[in-house]
Amino acid sequence: MNDGSNVTNNSAAYDSTVGIQAETVHNSNVYFIHPDASPQEKYKVGVQFLEDGVPSRARDMISDAIAHGHDNAEVRFHWVLAMLSARAYYDLSKEELQRLHKASGLVRSYPEGEWKDALRVAFELLAMLSTAEGGAGRVLERLRALHPRQRDAILRHFDLVLTGGLKDSLWAETCERAAAARFGNDRIQRVWAYFEPDPIGPRALPPHPSTAAAAQAALPVRAGLFVVVAALPWILALVADPAAAVIELPVALGAGLTAAHFGRRWWYEELQLRAKNGESRILRTGDPTSPEDGFTNRVRHSFDHYFGTRVPHGFAPYEWLDHTARIRNNLVAEIALLYRESRVGVDRINWLIRYLAEDARDRHNKGTLFDQRPQDQTPVLAKLLCVVALVALGITTLAMLGTVASGAGAPQTLLAALAVVGAVLSGRAAASSWLEARGEEHRLAEETKKYQERLAARQDAYRNWKSFLDATRPSEQEMETWLTCDKTLFLDQALRHYQLTWRDLITHTILMTPARPYRRGRVKGGPWRYSRYSFRLFLVTQDGVREVSTEFDFTDAKRGNEQRSNYRFDALSSVQVTEHAHVRYDLELVLTNGPARNIRVKDADMHQLAPDENAQEIDEIDLSAAGFIHTFRLLEGIAADGKGWIERNNPANLPSFRVAD
């Protein structure tokens, strides 16, 4: 089902020209062909292309398989479908008609079976053209007797070939099947996943490098100097008054050890605070408030969206956003730092941002959102004992100086005082090195553990999301089936509106173009598919051309902004295609009684091509899938010859296809 977390962006803020909200290419091997692939493998990929609405590539692949010896009734059946799919009879060249004629003579050489029956019916339908009398009834009976997968395949791919009374006999059944399959396989709840980009893998901010090595290297020298300097005043005290020195020395040692024991944890707290401040300084290198940092601003926008929708009970969205402002700022800086690289869009990390928003909500519900490390706080008693021990050490040291002064002369007292100052300085340096080494070891171990826990949690969230996405995302065949159903019902509605039957039509075509703003996606090697389409239907009759256009939301199959226009054949002045290199294809339709109409056929996709994809090949696939090739040929012919083109290509005037004996 839809996770309900789609981010609505203002596409005009980022691309006011194209109006694309998101686009993605799914890494799939569905169309992958190894250079040394066998004819059987090429045939399978060709059938996949055919089922997914790419007949031009299907023709190439299946023809190649046949040329290399893989030929039987099933292969020839799909080859015939590929030859005629998305093409009218007049679109076929003389060479292609000859190949079809030759192939029809091979039918009798194949073993009997369902594929041979289907192939025979396909050729018989082709021979019938628009006739609905005489033998057409028997052909229709044989068509209906075929297995549903073969019967439906013929009706789908012969769409532009079957016309007139023959198609009238089949149209009601075709519409019924389209209506039944239009929302099949849980379409409404799954289409969104096709346009969802493949998520990028989880990352977490690693611990800062440890400085323990430098501190450990300095510790022996500093500790040795402290021992030497600190020993001198106690030696002088023993000389001056042994009895007093014997008492003062243990007290000083005990106080010093007590201060070290209780002060180590206190000092480590300060070290952690400095490390955290250092982390904040590193994160600020990607200042989320920087106006020129578009990536970070988009990350912030996504965090604001998901935190605004993942709100704990008892909070209004704006209250929760205020409550978590500091946490969001830190997370924005972290994610921007981790994923700031070329060609990584925020839509690929929305899964992580959503997870972090949900994690913040869950930690708030558990009462641990801000109280993250209560177990590491140094008890007040420990701090008090450390302070008392330091005070006792200071008093004992002063007493020791008094002992030296009372039993020795002024030079010895001055020497002892200087030694105490040196011991304080060297002791502080030695203690600092010792505490830093121990603290850094502890910090690194603790942060490494937290990093691993954080990364493991994010990896689990990534796997869950990717598994859900892979299970929900429709296949190419499902997308093409739904689109075919939508086109069929749109065409049926237009025929009903104009009160036309297939006997009244000379030909028809549907041009499918993207309707902005849209999301788009495709499988590697396949055509772009859009979340919003513009359907433009041309119905050609003896009286002229009827044009119906509508915007179509593919995610919920709803239509809107429908427009209709009618014009005579001589009103179509010219048709031309403008190819803007690496940008788009535009179709210009010029009428004598109105301004030129520019139709955006496809948008740029050069930046979305994989290294092993051919730009020209992908363009051909997209234009074929959009119905552009047939539409352009039809409109170009009408613009050039007017009613003369119509008379020549009227199904009733076309030479019949002759099945080989």
Side-chain angles (χ1 to χ4, degrees):
M1 66 177 192
N2 192 324
D3 76 333
S5 60
N6 292 335
V7 181
T8 302
N9 297 318
N10 181 3
S11 61
Y14 307 124
D15 193 340
S16 59
T17 301
V18 178
I20 298 174
Q21 285 185 289
E23 55 185 11
T24 184
V25 178
H26 304 301
N27 291 320
S28 173
N29 292 326
V30 65
Y31 300 134
F32 175 76
I33 289 293
H34 193 274
D36 299 326
S38 66
Q40 291 80 1
E41 291 172 328
K42 293 179 180 179
Y43 164 70
K44 289 180 180 179
V45 174
V47 172
Q48 191 68 57
F49 271 119
L50 182 64
E51 292 177 345
D52 296 345
V54 191
S56 58
R57 290 289 291 142
R59 286 192 291 271
D60 295 338
M61 301 302 301
I62 299 176
S63 296
D64 188 274
I66 293 175
H68 287 84
H70 186 49
D71 188 6
N72 55 44
E74 179 183 352
V75 174
R76 281 291 176 178
F77 174 75
H78 287 106
W79 176 79
V80 171
L81 296 184
M83 290 292 290
L84 298 171
S85 183
R87 307 169 86 187
Y89 186 80
Y90 54 78
D91 288 329
L92 300 173
S93 66
K94 290 183 178 179
E95 179 186 356
E96 290 172 329
L97 286 172
Q98 290 173 355
R99 293 174 63 189
L100 284 167
H101 174 75
K102 181 180 178 181
S104 67
L106 299 175
V107 176
R108 61 178 177 271
S109 65
Y110 298 128
E112 294 295 331
E114 61 176 354
W115 292 109
K116 181 175 180 177
D117 293 339
L119 183 58
R120 185 183 291 114
V121 170
F123 280 119
E124 290 176 353
L125 284 172
L126 185 58
M128 296 301 300
L129 287 180
S130 63
T131 303
E133 307 295 337
R138 291 190 298 273
V139 176
L140 290 177
E141 289 179 5
R142 296 180 63 180
L143 174 64
R144 293 187 175 100
L146 293 177
H147 189 283
R149 63 177 177 179
Q150 295 153 341
R151 180 196 62 215
D152 294 346
I154 290 176
L155 293 177
R156 171 187 167 192
H157 296 291
F158 276 42
D159 176 58
L160 297 177
V161 176
L162 299 178
T163 56
L166 184 61
K167 192 159 187 175
D168 272 336
S169 304
L170 299 167
W171 187 242
E173 300 173 31
T174 301
C175 291
E176 287 179 6
R177 283 191 290 269
R182 187 184 191 189
F183 296 105
N185 295 335
D186 205 15
R187 169 183 176 172
I188 298 296
Q189 300 300 324
R190 295 177 58 216
V191 167
W192 66 270
Y194 186 88
F195 305 105
E196 194 74 15
D198 292 326
I200 196 168
R203 303 174 187 175
L205 203 63
H208 298 296
S210 174
T211 59
Q216 288 175 341
L219 180 59
V221 176
R222 293 179 176 181
L225 180 62
F226 169 72
V227 170
V228 171
V229 175
L232 181 59
W234 297 112
I235 292 173
L236 293 175
L238 284 172
V239 172
D241 188 349
V246 168
I247 297 174
E248 293 164 353
L249 180 58
V251 173
L253 288 174
L257 292 174
T258 300
H261 175 74
F262 290 106
R264 183 179 63 184
R265 188 171 175 182
W266 190 2
W267 189 91
Y268 177 61
E269 274 187 17
E270 297 299 319
L271 179 67
Q272 284 184 306
L273 181 60
R274 290 196 299 272
K276 190 172 183 179
N277 291 336
E279 177 181 329
S280 298
R281 285 194 298 272
I282 292 175
L283 290 176
R284 282 198 297 271
T285 59
D287 187 357
T289 63
S290 174
E292 69 276 6
D293 189 351
F295 176 75
T296 306
N297 283 334
R298 288 191 289 274
V299 171
R300 176 176 294 279
H301 182 273
S302 188
F303 266 104
D304 290 345
H305 168 79
Y306 285 113
F307 267 79
T309 57
R310 269 64 176 175
V311 181
H313 180 71
F315 276 89
Y318 71 90
E319 294 174 332
W320 179 242
L321 289 174
D322 289 342
H323 187 66
T324 58
R326 181 176 63 83
I327 291 177
R328 284 201 327 280
N329 288 338
N330 290 338
L331 290 174
V332 166
E334 178 189 358
I335 298 305
L337 179 64
L338 288 172
Y339 291 94
R340 188 190 311 280
E341 59 189 59
S342 62
R343 301 185 70 174
V344 174
V346 175
D347 50 353
R348 295 189 64 194
I349 57 175
N350 275 336
W351 70 270
L352 177 57
I353 297 174
R354 181 173 58 249
Y355 160 74
L356 293 173
E358 293 170 352
D359 179 63
R361 177 196 60 195
D362 295 342
R363 285 193 288 119
H364 168 80
N365 292 336
K366 295 176 183 177
T368 60
L369 182 59
F370 297 105
D371 186 20
Q372 298 187 30
R373 295 161 55 87
Q375 72 278 10
D376 291 337
Q377 300 296 319
T378 303
V380 176
L381 180 59
K383 294 181 179 180
L384 180 61
L385 290 174
C386 179
V387 171
V388 170
L390 289 174
V391 171
L393 179 60
I395 294 174
T396 304
T397 301
L398 292 176
M400 177 271 301
L401 288 176
T403 300
V404 173
S406 63
Q412 290 85 350
T413 303
L414 179 60
L415 181 61
L418 292 175
V420 168
V421 173
V424 171
L425 296 177
S426 61
R428 184 178 183 279
S432 177
S433 295
W434 176 71
L435 289 170
E436 182 177 356
R438 294 293 301 274
E440 277 292 282
E441 290 175 354
H442 184 71
R443 178 196 65 80
L444 184 61
E446 186 178 80
E447 289 189 3
T448 299
K449 180 182 178 182
K450 293 180 71 66
Y451 162 75
Q452 292 171 343
E453 291 174 350
R454 225 171 19 244
L455 184 60
R458 295 180 183 184
Q459 287 172 334
D460 287 341
Y462 170 78
R463 284 191 292 268
N464 291 339
W465 173 246
K466 195 168 188 316
S467 297
F468 173 71
L469 201 58
D470 291 342
T472 305
R473 181 180 291 135
S475 66
E476 288 294 293
Q477 187 174 355
E478 287 176 316
M479 294 290 286
E480 183 62 23
T481 298
W482 293 330
L483 187 60
T484 300
C485 293
D486 294 333
K487 290 190 295 181
T488 299
L489 296 176
F490 172 56
L491 176 55
D492 183 62
Q493 184 186 46
L495 292 174
R496 291 175 182 274
H497 174 80
Y498 288 113
Q499 298 181 347
L500 295 172
T501 67
W502 286 102
R503 297 173 188 271
D504 302 320
L505 293 185
I506 295 173
T507 188
H508 77 285
T509 186
I510 296 180
L511 178 63
M512 298 179 297
T513 58
R516 303 186 204 90
Y518 59 76
R519 305 179 75 195
R520 69 177 181 177
R522 69 181 179 91
V523 168
K524 182 179 174 182
W528 282 111
R529 301 188 186 277
Y530 301 90
S531 62
R532 297 184 71 247
Y533 282 96
S534 177
F535 283 2
R536 197 176 299 268
L537 169 66
F538 297 90
L539 300 173
V540 182
T541 68
Q542 291 288 351
D543 300 326
V545 179
R546 291 175 171 84
E547 180 184 345
V548 184
S549 64
T550 185
E551 290 187 356
F552 184 80
D553 192 333
F554 190 71
T555 57
D556 57 13
K558 292 182 179 179
R559 297 198 297 265
N561 297 328
E562 188 166 305
Q563 298 179 349
R564 300 184 182 90
S565 59
N566 306 314
Y567 42 87
R568 302 184 312 276
F569 299 124
D570 56 1
L572 187 56
S573 175
S574 68
V575 178
Q576 65 180 27
V577 175
T578 304
E579 178 182 354
H580 302 271
H582 309 315
V583 179
R584 65 183 186 269
Y585 282 83
D586 289 344
L587 176 67
E588 186 179 61
L589 188 65
V590 181
L591 299 177
T592 57
N593 59 348
R597 283 185 288 165
N598 288 306
I599 303 172
R600 176 73 58 83
V601 178
K602 68 184 295 289
D603 284 317
D605 58 10
M606 286 297 294
H607 64 292
Q608 285 283 4
L609 297 182
D612 56 346
E613 287 185 308
N614 182 280
Q616 183 177 356
E617 185 177 282
I618 296 299
D619 279 344
E620 291 175 357
I621 288 174
D622 284 331
L623 294 176
S624 176
F628 168 78
I629 296 175
H630 176 68
T631 300
F632 177 68
R633 186 173 297 169
L634 170 64
L635 297 179
E636 185 182 43
I638 294 175
D641 299 332
K643 199 170 183 66
W645 186 93
I646 297 299
E647 292 298 333
R648 286 195 308 273
N649 293 282
N650 190 321
N653 299 330
L654 289 174
S656 298
F657 177 82
R658 185 173 61 86
V659 178
D661 295 333

